[in-house]
Amino acid sequence: MTIKPHCRICKSPAIVFYQDVRTFYKCPNCLLIFTNDLPDKTLEENHYKSQWKTTEPEFWKNQTDALVSYIQKYFTPKRILDFGSGSGEMTQELQRHGYLVTALEPMNDGYLKDQNYPFLFDVVVAVEVIEHLPNVWEELEQIEEVLEPEGIMVFSTGLTNPFIELPDATEHFKTWWYKDDPTHLSFFCNRTLSVMADMRDYTIDIYGDKLFVVRRGNKTD
């Protein structure tokens, strides 16, 4: 009997959803699509660094302006952690906005669990990061430890909302460029985020198909 892998979010037994050079599974409960085929570390680092070299400065300016507009919906922060900061362009853009920003790029700075910050952050931003994490809950717990109680976590990632519940979802996924990045391991949708909120007493505000904000506690506005 084939042992079904467990969803890395809700631990439900998952089923094969799509196969190419990697095998992707779909959770029947939270609809997370994920793969357990992790890239080789050398390949992973080379891939990240090649992406850093090909990104235009104007891209980061536009990304940061948009990010700041969402953060300002909640409050004006003082300290921001740029989690998975890559080559640092977004950190620099956030600093130009007047914020105190700490960059954390694991390839340069080590992992979050190994840091010893003398303060807590109002905001942790993770741009195109969560889809890379093999241990999502562990990373979220570590983020919570460095976040002010009323702080927010801001994540951007490509959500599968446009196709995940369609009868031909597999065909849409097959042609979805986002899955072809060998370092992308998990693909979220609104249903996944709803399950995460219930599991962890989060409030998760979703903006379109690319960004969501996590707050601790099921607050009612």
Side-chain angles (χ1 to χ4, degrees), residues 79-83 85 91 95 100-104 117 119 121:
R79 293 191 182 275
I80 297 176
L81 175 65
D82 186 359
F83 179 60
S85 57
T91 296
Q95 289 170 339
L100 298 173
V101 187
T102 299
L104 177 66
Y117 300 122
F119 43 72
F121 298 94

Side-chain angles (χ1 to χ4, degrees), residues 10 17-18 20 27 41 69 81 88 111 116 123 127 132 160 184 200 203 207:
C10 70
F17 178 65
Y18 176 75
D20 51 21
C27 175
K41 283 297 179 186
S69 71
L81 175 65
Y111 294 103
N116 186 26
V123 179
V127 174
H132 298 271
T160 61
H184 288 184
R200 204 52 180 265
T203 295
Y207 298 96

Side-chain angles (χ1 to χ4, degrees), residues 62-104:
N62 294 336
Q63 282 276 91
T64 306
D65 289 347
L67 195 68
V68 167
S69 71
Y70 287 109
I71 294 171
Q72 292 287 350
K73 293 177 183 288
Y74 298 88
F75 50 73
T76 299
K78 294 181 181 178
R79 293 191 182 275
I80 297 176
L81 175 65
D82 186 359
F83 179 60
S85 57
S87 55
E89 281 96 342
M90 177 163 280
T91 296
Q92 294 171 12
E93 288 293 336
L94 285 167
Q95 289 170 339
R96 290 190 187 103
H97 280 266
Y99 304 124
L100 298 173
V101 187
T102 299
L104 177 66

Side-chain angles (χ1 to χ4, degrees), residues 104-121:
L104 177 66
E105 172 47 53
M107 286 193 294
N108 300 329
D109 309 309
Y111 294 103
L112 182 55
K113 65 182 179 181
D114 301 320
Q115 309 304 311
N116 186 26
Y117 300 122
F119 43 72
L120 297 176
F121 298 94

Side-chain angles (χ1 to χ4, degrees), residues 167-185:
D168 59 346
T170 304
E171 289 302 310
H172 287 272
F173 186 75
K174 179 180 179 180
T175 59
W176 193 36
W177 69 271
Y178 206 62
K179 74 159 188 339
D180 296 327
D181 185 315
T183 64
H184 288 184
L185 307 177

